[in-house]
Amino acid sequence: MPAAKPRLRGAATLAFLPTRTNCGRNLARGKPLVPERANEIENTVRAVLRDVLGLSEERVAAFHAETPLFGAVPELDSMAVAGVLTEIEDRLGILIEDDDIDGDTLATFGSLTRFAMGKAVQ
């Protein structure tokens, strides 16, 4: 009888992070996002918001998935959106097309982070 494969739990588990816009593509390609990479991407998004918008380290550190961004953070106006997205592209080495962005992308810190994670695993 063959030995059973061990099941990984916690930080060792590979996580797929599908979003509304990339669900089928990432799962079909089977590209996992390891937790360390997820933390790196979240920290990068925090750093971009801090650096591009001039927000304090404390303010950005307090952001959680449901923290509203566009329309709630005065520094994130329509002009700043391009700077934030360009900086995310540069720091993560990803390409963001105009049609990748919709009203939900920058709605919350969580939606922006999930978007960046989805692009990073493509």
Side-chain angles (χ1 to χ4, degrees):
M1 206 155 90
K5 290 184 181 179
R7 297 187 76 195
L8 301 175
R9 297 195 187 276
T13 304
L14 297 178
F16 290 98
L17 296 174
T19 63
R20 281 185 326 116
T21 58
N22 71 3
C23 184
R25 289 190 305 238
N26 288 339
L27 292 177
R29 290 183 184 165
K31 291 190 174 185
L33 183 64
V34 293
E36 294 80 20
R37 180 76 170 139
N39 288 336
E40 173 192 336
I41 293 169
E42 181 177 327
N43 290 337
T44 299
V45 172
R46 285 182 195 281
V48 166
L49 293 172
R50 182 193 66 226
D51 297 345
V52 173
L53 302 179
L55 303 177
S56 71
E57 184 74 38
E58 297 78 22
R59 185 173 176 193
V60 174
F63 285 176
H64 52 82
E66 294 81 28
T67 300
L69 293 179
F70 195 71
V73 175
E75 297 86 350
L76 185 60
D77 58 18
S78 57
M79 295 299 291
V81 167
V84 166
L85 295 175
T86 300
E87 194 64 24
I88 288 174
E89 281 182 318
D90 291 346
R91 293 190 191 188
L92 294 177
I94 61 176
L95 179 63
I96 300 173
E97 300 289 345
D98 290 343
D99 18 331
D100 292 338
I101 306 300
D102 62 23
D104 296 333
T105 306
L106 290 133
T108 65
F109 177 72
S111 64
L112 180 58
T113 302
R114 283 188 304 277
F115 172 78
M117 288 180 186
K119 295 300 284 182
V121 297
Q122 288 183 344

